[in-house]
């Protein structure tokens, strides 16, 4: 269906990847994974034709339509939303425009009459007569109400524009579908809807995602971009992790056995090379050493930050009591007389669709000035570490990394402590003196985790902490929070993250909280299905 022949890409003097030969077969769904900076998005752009490779070629089976999830959400500002979706099928869109042009002529020639008749047949064969209905269904499934569909793209918020571009890629069931982070900006219910669409589709798919549950639910294969090459594994993400770990461990074990054999042979040669009666045996064993070849085990591009959260003092009473908390924006009531209590050590996940008020709730309980009414009573010993969804936007980007981190500690050995923490969070010695403004989204997130580490809070509140993180950082954060002994309150759309951490779920609905305490392995699937 789609294959590469010795694809390489080089920026400057260093190759990002080289000599990639891989075939993506018809109907399979491939998860393209790899550490941040390994070249996943670059490789995807080469497959789609949006970027040229340094060498090599791409072969796509003839007459196959390729659709790509575009990231330029501001490129269609003057286009109607429904038209933007249909534009995803270029051939159909071109026929639609030409057909409309001819019908709008004041007079139609015989030649044009024949042409439009042919266009009608093509338009029908490509599903043109149901195109608007199909586009409407996709948009509604992605959370864009029908009343918006005839409006221009400029009327939508940036996150919703990206949803339209996702509908554009899905439209018309393309033969090959290339999706780079399709779950970004989607809530749990919409992610579940998207999974159902993709599972039913017979398109060949290549998907980049940091959502482990999504990869598990969709993928038939994993294409792992590491060591400067792509390796294919059958199965989903969890199955890949097992297979890849076992394969690497097998190589390590084989090398260990070979090294032991070499050491034994060398020892014999040292002892008996000068012994006339055993000189021949020593020479034979010396020749054997040269024949034993150790496997070349390349260094993985995957690195895992070391994250650990500790609390400087424990809380022994109830952590939080909220009475009649209310908040509205103009006439929109977001929180309506909400009541709840949280005990020590609980792990609360705050769930609900985008715009329902999750961030509002977290911001109100952290900063009482933001509520309209109600009472918020924290334990007297409460030491809150807060990770806001938009916190990196409020950082003084002119500060250096070490200067910004210095704000959160005043110990005698603070600089040494900060350097140690930043090192564990994968910042090099050169990085810590650099301005924050040059950091990537994922690096800023890791920096904010450093702030929490320095604060030693006994309560951690997180609003969408996995945004912009690669899988390695998500897994490290997941592990750190699972070992954290304090109280945790968080909002997230990462189902694996939620299911592995939450002991209790607050579902926001119609300005109220539905408190779920009976959490099992299938709870999230049931919750999203019911919504």
């Amino acid at each position: 269906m789609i294959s590469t022949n010795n694809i390489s890409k080089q920026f400057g003097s260093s190759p990002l990847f080289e000599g990639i030969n891989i075939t993506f077969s018809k109907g399979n769904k491939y998860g393209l994974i790899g550490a941040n900076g390994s070249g996943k998005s670059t490789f995807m752009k080469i497959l789609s034709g949006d970027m040229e490779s340094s060498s090599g070629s791409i072969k796509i089976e003839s007459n196959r339509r390729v659709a790509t999830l575009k990231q330029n959400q501001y490129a269609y500002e003057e286009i109607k939303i429904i038209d933007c979706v249909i534009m995803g099928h270029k051939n159909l869109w071109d026929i639609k425009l030409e057909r409309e042009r001819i019908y709008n002529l004041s007079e139609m020639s015989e030649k044009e009459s024949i042409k439009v008749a042919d266009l009608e047949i093509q338009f029908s064969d490509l599903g043109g007569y149901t195109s608007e209905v199909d586009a409407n269904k996709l948009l509604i499934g992605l959370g864009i109400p029908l009343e918006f569909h005839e409006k221009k793209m400029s009327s939508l918020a940036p996150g919703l524009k990206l949803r339209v571009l996702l509908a554009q890629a899905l439209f018309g069931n393309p033969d090959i579908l290339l999706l780079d982070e399709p779950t970004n900006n989607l809530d749990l219910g919409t992610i579940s809807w998207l999974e159902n669409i993709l599972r039913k589709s017979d398109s060949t798919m290549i998907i980049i995602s940091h959502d482990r549950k999504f990869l598990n639910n969709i993928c038939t294969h994993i294409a792992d971009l590491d060591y400067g090459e792509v390796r294919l594994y059958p199965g989903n993400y969890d199955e890949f992790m097992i297979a890849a770990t076992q394969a690497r461990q097998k190589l390590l074990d084989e090398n260990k056995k070979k090294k032991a054999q070499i050491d034994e042979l060398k020892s014999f040669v040292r002892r008996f090379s000068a012994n006339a009666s055993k000189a021949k045996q020593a020479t034979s064993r010396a020749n054997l050493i040269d024949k034993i070849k150790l496997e070349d085990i390349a260094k993985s591009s995957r690195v895992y930050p070391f994250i650990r959260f500790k609390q400087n003092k424990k809380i022994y009473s109830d952590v939080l009591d909220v009475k009649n908390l209310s908040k509205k924006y103009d006439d929109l009531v977001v929180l309506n007389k909400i009541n709840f209590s949280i005990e020590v050590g609980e792990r609360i996940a705050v769930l609900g669709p985008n715009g329902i008020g999750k961030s509002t709730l977290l911001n109100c309980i952290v900063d009482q000035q933001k509520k309209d009414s109600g009472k918020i009573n924290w334990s007297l010993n409460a030491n809150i570490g807060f990770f806001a969804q938009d916190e990196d936007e409020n950082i003084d980007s002119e500060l250096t990394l070490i200067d910004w981190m210095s704000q959160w500690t005043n110990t005698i050995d603070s600089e040494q402590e900060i350097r140690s923490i930043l090192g564990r969070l994968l910042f090099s010695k050169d990085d810590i003196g650099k301005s924050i403004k040059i950091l990537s989204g994922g690096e800023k997130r890791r920096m904010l985790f450093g702030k929490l580490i320095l604060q030693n809070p006994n309560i951690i509140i997180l609003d969408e902490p996995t945004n912009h993180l690669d899988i390695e950082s998500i897994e490290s954060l997941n592990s750190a929070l699972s070992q954290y002994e304090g109280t945790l309150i968080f909002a997230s759309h990462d189902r694996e993250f939620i299911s592995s951490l939450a002991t209790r779920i607050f579902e926001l609905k119609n300005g109220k909280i539905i408190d779920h305490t009976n959490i099992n392995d299938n709870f999230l699937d049931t919750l999203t299905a019911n919504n």
Side-chain angles (χ1 to χ4, degrees), residues 249-272:
Q249 190 58 51
K250 183 180 179 182
L251 288 177
L252 291 170
D253 290 344
E254 288 175 353
N255 273 0
K256 186 177 180 180
K257 290 178 182 178
K258 289 176 181 178
K259 286 177 181 178
Q261 187 180 1
I262 290 170
D263 289 342
E264 185 178 339
L265 291 170
K266 284 182 177 178
S267 176
F268 186 93
V269 171
R270 281 196 303 270
R271 283 185 293 153
F272 298 112

Side-chain angles (χ1 to χ4, degrees), residues 291-357:
K291 294 179 181 179
I292 299 173
K293 302 296 181 185
L294 296 176
E295 296 292 336
D296 184 18
I297 303 177
K299 184 178 179 181
S300 173
S301 60
R302 284 190 173 84
V303 284
Y304 292 80
F306 180 83
I307 305 172
R308 287 293 179 271
F309 301 118
K310 297 179 181 179
Q311 51 180 345
N312 57 359
K313 52 187 177 183
K314 291 185 178 181
I315 298 176
Y316 294 97
S317 59
D318 287 346
V319 170
L320 175 63
D321 186 48
V322 173
K323 297 290 187 186
N324 294 320
L325 172 62
S326 294
K327 176 69 178 181
K328 66 177 183 178
Y329 298 98
D330 297 324
D331 295 329
L332 178 63
V333 178
V334 179
L335 306 175
N336 186 15
K337 296 183 179 180
I338 285 176
N339 297 279
F340 62 86
S341 295
I342 296 176
E343 297 180 1
V344 174
E346 287 196 294
R347 299 164 183 269
I348 313 292
V350 182
L351 306 185
N354 288 345
I356 199 69

